[in-house]
């Protein structure tokens, strides 16, 4: 069959890699992809958000199944457009995608259906928002309502910082329309984890657990980014915590969607803070995480395309997890996340890729004069398997050491937060 992946990043490279292993695939396409993806899928030169052109292409080319990576086309209604033309696509409708597309919608929804989350208020009036900040005090979290590619949430440790952020979002239009309305919420303490499930109406199937590293610098310092690395599984999600996530977050959310008459088919990602009181939702996404998808898909065994197709049709499926750990170190360009440089030649990819149990997923790369060059903020995901998390980490960083481009930056502590659990009660989890 003919399969289309929509998106350009590391998540989409991992999806294309996983789907390409299925014997069902005759032809794999990606719109638009990157230098890594084009070595395993045909390039479709259409932007992921040009949903009409994508639907035209899929219809004409006879694409049998489409999987969407990023949120923007989903929030803009790619699924509705494809379904209108009788094309099969895995990803939620425009209506269902509001869970990610509007923080205010998501918060109201969680409140209504008692999904645990931070206390919050929504503001469209700057002065009222400032008054609220002064009443409540810091630390406090200011979030733009709309999509902001990871730049829309600011954890503020002083009232001044919160007011400055409100000014940037609401008055200076730093995020365009996305910041006109804001959600201000209680600061939650705990450890973050990502819990992603495949959903089809009432049914859901969990993917392996993972943990992202959102801040740019070691020790969780610096600005928020799209994610600088991830690993799977995460020991923060113990069997007991997972049981609560399923009951209190996923199942209440699916029941709420049903109650609202909203049909959800696709990946549902709960970004969680595991607090002393239990798991609380920081955000919902309506897609796989990036970089979480990379270590997650590395650990999904078997024919993932077959599983997706069966699940799409409403069948019960079971996903088997690889026993090994997987870990992803993101290499980014100088200037990321504000102003990433582009066009730098990347060296050492082949040598790094030759290492045992190492997989490199490209993100912001393209080809120029036959060479792989940087083309965005996050450039590469250097991933490895290990029988222990330490082994996965050491292998990934060994591979990173072979790679070079001018101005490259990466965190050196991916996975470290897990070791404290593994040294104590979880030491026997994996040999
Ligand atoms: P979001 O886009 O809502 O996931 O927020 C991005 C990041 O900001 C999260 O991954 C957290 O690190 C942080 N964050 C968001 N909301 C809160 C909160 N209520 N308390 C503490 N940290 C938060
Ligand atoms: N890694 C966080 C996200 O994909 O939103």
């Amino acid at each position: 069959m003919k399969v289309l992946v929509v998106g350009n990043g590391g998540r989409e490279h991992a999806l294309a890699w996983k789907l390409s292993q299925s014997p069902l695939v005759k032809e794999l396409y990606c719109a638009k992809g990157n230098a890594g993806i084009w070595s395993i899928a045909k390039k479709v030169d259409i932007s992921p958000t040009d949903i009409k052109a994508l639907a035209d292409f899929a219809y004409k080319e006879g694409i049998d199944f489409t999987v969407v990576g990023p949120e923007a086309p989903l929030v803009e209604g790619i699924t509705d457009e494809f379904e209108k033309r009788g094309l099969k696509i895995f990803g939620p409708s425009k209506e269902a995608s509001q869970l990610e597309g509007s923080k205010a919608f998501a918060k109201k929804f969680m409140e209504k259906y008692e999904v645990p989350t931070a206390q919050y208020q929504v503001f469209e009036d700057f002065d009222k928002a400032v008054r609220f900040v002064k009443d409540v005090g810091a630390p406090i979290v200011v979030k733009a309502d709309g999509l902001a590619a990871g730049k829309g949430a600011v954890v503020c440790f002083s009232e001044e910082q919160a007011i400055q952020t409100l000014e940037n979002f609401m008055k200076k239009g730093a995020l365009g329309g996305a910041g006109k309305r804001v959600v201000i919420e209680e600061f939650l303490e705990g450890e973050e984890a990502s819990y992603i499930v495949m959903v089809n109406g009432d049914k859901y199937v969990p993917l392996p657990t993972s943990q992202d590293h959102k801040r740019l610098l070691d020790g969780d310092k610096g600005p928020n980014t799209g994610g600088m690395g991830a690993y799977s599984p995460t020991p923060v999600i113990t069997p007991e915590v997972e049981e609560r996530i399923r009951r209190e977050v996923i199942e209440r959310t699916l029941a709420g969607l049903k109650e609202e008459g909203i049909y959800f088919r696709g990946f549902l990602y709960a970004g969680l803070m595991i607090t002393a009181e239990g798991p609380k939702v920081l955000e919902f996404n309506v897609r796989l995480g990036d970089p979480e998808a990379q270590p997650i898909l590395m650990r999904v065994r078997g024919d993932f395309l077959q599983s997706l197709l069966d699940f799409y049709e409403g069948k019960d499926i079971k996903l088997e997890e690889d026993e090994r750990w997987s870990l992803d170190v993101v290499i980014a360009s100088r200037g990321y996340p504000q102003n990433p440089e582009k066009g730098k030649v990347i060296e050492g990819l082949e040598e790094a890729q030759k290492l045992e149990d190492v997989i490199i997923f490209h993100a912001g790369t393209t080809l120029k004069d036959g060479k792989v060059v940087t083309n965005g903020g996050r450039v590469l995901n250097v991933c490895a398997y290990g029988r222990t998390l330490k082994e996965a980490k050491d292998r990934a960083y060994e591979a990173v050491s072979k790679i070079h481009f001018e101005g490259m930056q990466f965190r050196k502590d991916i996975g470290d937060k897990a070791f404290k659990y593994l040294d104590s009660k979880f030491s026997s989890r994996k040999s």
Side-chain angles (χ1 to χ4, degrees), residues 11 100 194 212 214 225-227 269 283 285 287-292 378:
R11 165 184 50 212
E100 175 164 3
S194 306
D212 188 10
K214 289 230 165 72
T225 69
Y269 164 137
E283 64 165 348
N285 294 322
R287 51 169 173 86
L288 289 169
D290 186 347
E292 294 96 318
R378 291 187 290 174

Side-chain angles (χ1 to χ4, degrees), residues 99-100 106 110 115 249 253 268-270 281-286:
L99 273 182
E100 175 164 3
M110 287 189 262
V115 177
V249 176
T253 300
L268 177 67
Y269 164 137
V281 176
L282 293 173
E283 64 165 348
F284 278 125
N285 294 322
V286 296

